[in-house]
Amino acid sequence: MQPPRSARPTIGVGEDDLVTGDAVALRVPAAGPGLRVASGAIDVVCGALLLFGLSLAFGGVLGNLDDAAGAALVLTTVVTTLVILPAVIETLTRGRSVGRLATGTCIVRDDGGPVAFRQCLTRSLIGFLEIWSTSGAVAFCAVVLTARGKRLGDLAAGTYAVRDRLRLQLPPPVPPAPELSAWAASADIAPLPDALSLATRQFLHRRDGLEPVARARIAQELAATVAQHVMPPPPAGTHPEALLQTVVAERGRRDAQRLARDAATRHRVLPHV
């Protein structure tokens, strides 16, 4: 099991925003092709109406410009309306657009985190080619054929569409190993790197479905890496899975306490916020 390259500590979709000190694997439901096509059609109509309105507004101005200036104005208007503006809106609304608001979907990163401007811009640039230049045919084929209903822009940006009106289901918390409770209470357990934390959680939740040999090997590899972030080391003879369980559970407990203290401090300093 290879840890993912990146996983941010903040994952947010709708009312189920989650902020934790460690990466958390969320079971985010992907939007189906029907919702994607519906939201895309609404966005295309909105973009076309906006372009039509701007063409009426600039109609008088174009008559007073030479050919080069007129072409530059038209190109700037089209690029701003169909590429820049959608990317900015998606960034500010965390992956939403008019069509996605109407269909209850949004765009997130492949790891479930909120999209950034570079990902939104990548989607818009490629979307201009696969949606506007081909009347949506290429985008439709990609959405139907890919596993998560991705269009080409999503494949390039590392994103996909999710249904954000469903409550997200977090994996059940991992219990600590009882035999390590005394050690965990006094040990210095540093926050794990996001990728390592996510890989560890995924292993703990999926280990029952692994072959015994693979399960033991992965547990040993993860435990050896996790042990580098704790001091003092766990007692000699500690089972690798017991160490992983305890570190994840203890980090979760400490993070929850820290967040509770931060919330109490904010409430005390800014009681009306």
Side-chain angles (χ1 to χ4, degrees):
M1 176 182 296
Q2 294 296 327
R5 290 187 178 181
S6 64
R8 299 289 181 86
T10 301
I11 298 176
V13 179
E15 297 178 351
D16 297 295
D17 287 359
L18 173 65
V19 180
T20 174
D22 291 325
V24 178
L26 297 179
R27 298 192 181 106
V28 185
L35 289 177
R36 297 227 57 183
V37 172
S39 65
I42 294 173
D43 289 337
V44 167
V45 170
C46 291
L49 290 176
L50 181 56
L51 273 180
F52 179 72
L54 291 175
S55 66
L56 294 179
F58 293 153
V61 176
L62 289 174
N64 299 324
L65 299 176
D66 58 32
D67 293 342
L73 178 60
V74 171
L75 178 61
T76 301
T77 302
V78 171
V79 171
T80 301
T81 304
L82 303 184
V83 177
I84 303 300
L85 185 59
V88 171
I89 291 176
E90 279 190 3
T91 304
L92 295 178
T93 59
R94 301 177 75 177
R96 293 169 179 83
S97 64
V98 175
R100 294 188 205 103
L101 285 173
T103 56
T105 60
C106 73
I107 299 297
V108 297
R109 299 195 314 261
D110 282 341
D111 61 9
V115 289
F117 178 72
R118 63 181 179 82
Q119 289 144 343
C120 296
L121 183 59
T122 299
R123 296 183 73 258
S124 291
L125 286 171
I126 299 179
F128 182 81
L129 299 176
E130 64 174 323
I131 297 176
W132 294 97
S133 299
T134 65
S135 300
V138 173
F140 176 79
C141 292
V143 167
V144 172
L145 295 176
T146 53
R148 285 181 170 179
K150 293 187 174 191
R151 61 178 180 82
L152 299 183
D154 291 312
L155 294 173
T159 58
Y160 72 111
V162 300
R163 294 171 287 167
D164 67 348
R165 289 180 183 167
L166 298 179
R167 288 192 60 83
L168 300 180
Q169 299 297 318
L170 294 177
V174 178
E179 65 271 21
L180 294 180
S181 57
W183 168 80
S186 59
D188 181 9
I189 303 177
L192 301 180
D194 292 340
L196 175 60
S197 177
L198 183 58
T200 302
R201 291 174 184 272
Q202 288 178 335
F203 166 74
L204 291 174
H205 289 295
R206 300 174 182 174
R207 54 184 168 175
D208 291 338
L210 298 176
E211 293 293 332
V213 175
R215 175 173 173 171
R217 176 179 57 80
I218 295 172
Q220 188 66 46
E221 293 175 355
L222 288 173
T225 306
V226 168
Q228 299 175 11
H229 300 274
V230 302
M231 185 61 66
T238 296
H239 193 279
E241 291 186 23
L243 174 62
L244 298 178
Q245 287 181 225
T246 303
V247 169
V248 168
E250 182 64 19
R251 278 306 320 172
R253 185 186 69 82
R254 295 182 186 183
D255 288 336
Q257 290 180 340
R258 174 177 55 81
L259 291 175
R261 289 194 302 269
D262 292 346
T265 301
R266 286 194 300 271
H267 180 71
R268 186 169 58 251
V269 176
L270 303 170
H272 301 296
V273 176

